[in-house]
Amino acid sequence: MTEVVHTPRVFSGIQPTGNLHLGNYLGALKRFADSQEEGIESIFCMVDLHAVTVWQEPDDLRHATRELAAGFIASGIDPTKSILFNQSQVAEHTQMAWVFNCVARMGWMKRMTQFKDKAGKNAENASLGLFGYPALMAADILVYHATHVPVGEDQKQHLELTQEIARKFNHDFEVDFFPETQPVIEGAATRVMSLRDGSKKMSKSDPSDMSRINLTDDADTIARKIRKAKTDPEPLPSEKGPLDDRPEARNLVNIYAALADLSVDQVLAEHGGKPFSEFKPALADLAVDRLAPISTEMSRLMEDVAEIDRILAAGADRARAIAAPILKKTYQIMGMVGA
Ligand code: TYM
């Protein structure tokens, strides 16, 4: 079998479930903008079909999808350079997901920790869609033959499953069709933690709004949340090692590094020895400087939702043009008549 070389193509997605936060920005959006600037063909998706694996009020979903699109654009995604669209407009995602439902094994799906976390004790009452969620995610990626997927650390297991699905399909049908997609989990902020508890991930579902910085927060709110962030009484160390036992301090340093485009070592070289009473205001200034323009731009874009809808429809057309032939070829490989 000859080795097929796949041209580099980036794909990533974010759920439009509201409360877009600093973790989404540093772990995902900011890095998407970087990959776009590197000139790699990039496809970014508002995964509304993933969102409805748990209940969504229709009006809230509509609003959150448009607001997320505004968040992408305000974070530097240029819809004329990258492809920006919402998942439900490109039917090939769900068509490919069905194929992968038949490739993935129950045992693989049962190992997914995110399902266990999300379904909680009431797994019998979770939707079938929530269980199958990672197969749809594999479809999102592989229906474009994407080679690189920038994500935060919490998505690692889903991307390993994506690789397993691609491998099994290629093996079962004796083809070298789907690429081995690489997760890109890089930088200081692949796992931004809660501002109230350094052992918990910053999350849109945390009941405390003080635990996260939302991309819609104004400057005063951002500064107040950083001022009130949990820390310890020690000053910042001058090197990384001691941060291992100080999760809250480490989180704030990581956030600073990612916002400033510096390494953790560089941040500590500058701020090591300072008490939090000095470091927090510096971090608040930096966060406001980087995030306030995004929030302002999001509000401006949200004044014209018709324009956002036009951008998403145009993005969907471009996405479909890539996905349709790949789905067709998949069907041909499988023996579907008419494909
Ligand atoms: P979602 O919507 O939960 O999160 C979107 C992106 O933000 C990252 N992220 C974080 N990064 C750092 N620190 C945090 N605290 C933090 N919280 C969230 C996530 O890792 C993700 O990159 N299943 C995905 C959506 C998805 C997808 C895909 C992603 C569907 N299909 C295909 C990539 C490729 C999810 O629920 O992300």
Side-chain angles (χ1 to χ4, degrees):
M1 210 168 18
T2 52
E3 184 84 5
V4 180
V5 179
H6 293 276
T7 41
R9 182 177 282 152
V10 165
F11 180 93
S12 200
I14 300 186
Q15 295 194 61
T17 41
N19 284 344
L20 203 55
H21 56 74
L22 183 65
N24 300 131
Y25 176 65
L26 293 177
L29 287 167
K30 182 170 185 292
R31 295 171 50 233
F32 299 170
D34 294 343
S35 94
Q36 170 189 275
E37 292 316 308
E38 283 165 24
I40 306 171
E41 182 180 25
S42 301
I43 306 174
F44 300 117
C45 185
M46 275 119 273
V47 291
D48 45 11
L49 295 167
H50 278 102
V52 298
T53 56
V54 298
W55 172 252
Q56 304 296 330
E57 286 295 336
D59 285 342
D60 293 349
L61 180 65
R62 234 183 315 272
H63 177 79
T65 303
R66 289 168 175 153
E67 191 174 75
L68 177 54
F72 269 99
I73 298 167
S75 303
I77 301 303
D78 175 347
T80 62
K81 285 191 193 162
S82 299
I83 298 179
L84 189 64
F85 71 107
N86 59 310
Q87 192 181 25
S88 59
Q89 292 206 58
V90 180
E92 283 76 4
H93 287 244
T94 32
Q95 292 173 291
M96 189 65 100
W98 181 259
V99 172
F100 291 165
N101 280 343
C102 302
V103 173
R105 305 289 94 184
M106 289 293 284
W108 302 357
M109 307 301 277
K110 280 186 181 160
R111 282 201 295 275
M112 294 295 113
T113 53
Q114 197 149 329
F115 174 75
K116 291 186 215 168
D117 291 348
K118 276 202 177 177
K121 291 192 188 76
N122 209 0
E124 289 295 309
N125 199 34
S127 73
L128 189 54
L130 189 65
F131 187 67
Y133 180 114
L136 176 59
M137 182 160 159
D140 298 338
I141 296 165
L142 294 172
V143 82
Y144 299 100
H145 277 186
T147 55
H148 295 83
V149 182
V151 280
E153 213 172 273
D154 58 351
Q155 297 301 314
K156 190 162 179 242
Q157 197 187 29
H158 288 157
L159 292 177
E160 285 163 3
L161 184 89
T162 301
Q163 293 176 338
E164 246 177 314
I165 288 176
R167 233 177 278 135
K168 180 164 165 57
F169 183 98
N170 287 347
H171 177 266
D172 288 354
F173 293 99
E174 297 181 14
V175 288
D176 190 2
F177 183 59
F178 288 116
E180 178 103 350
T181 301
Q182 295 308 317
V184 185
I185 304 174
E186 283 170 359
T190 55
R191 189 171 173 82
V192 177
M193 308 308 278
S194 156
L195 298 179
R196 310 301 294 167
D197 178 350
S199 69
K200 272 186 13 198
K201 185 178 75 159
M202 184 178 286
S203 145
K204 52 184 111 189
S205 56
D206 193 312
S208 165
D209 195 56
M210 292 301 283
S211 71
R212 66 182 158 261
I213 293 174
N214 302 303
L215 287 195
T216 48
D217 285 345
D218 60 21
D220 286 348
T221 311
I222 295 172
R224 183 163 45 87
K225 286 179 175 174
I226 291 177
R227 219 171 35 241
K228 299 225 158 164
K230 188 176 166 204
T231 44
D232 57 46
E234 302 294 318
L236 281 181
S238 303
E239 50 190 56
K240 261 197 278 207
L243 286 179
D244 287 350
D245 303 321
R246 298 172 62 189
E248 282 86 12
R250 184 177 56 192
N251 189 37
L252 296 186
V253 171
N254 283 347
I255 291 173
Y256 191 105
L259 282 171
D261 284 316
L262 293 173
S263 69
V264 168
D265 288 325
Q266 286 170 314
V267 175
L268 293 177
E270 193 183 333
H271 294 279
K274 287 187 189 164
F276 281 103
S277 56
E278 274 180 53
F279 182 65
K280 279 182 169 178
L283 176 58
D285 284 350
L286 175 65
V288 167
D289 184 62
R290 298 296 149 94
L291 302 178
I294 296 177
S295 148
T296 308
E297 179 64 0
M298 280 172 73
S299 313
R300 192 189 69 76
L301 291 164
M302 284 300 280
E303 282 166 17
D304 190 357
V305 289
E307 175 60 13
I308 291 182
D309 291 0
R310 270 193 296 278
I311 289 171
L312 295 181
D317 287 343
R318 289 167 65 201
R320 212 176 294 116
I322 301 173
I326 293 176
L327 180 74
K328 188 177 168 67
K329 180 77 187 158
T330 308
Y331 278 180
Q332 285 168 356
I333 290 170
M334 297 174 76
M336 305 290 186
V337 172

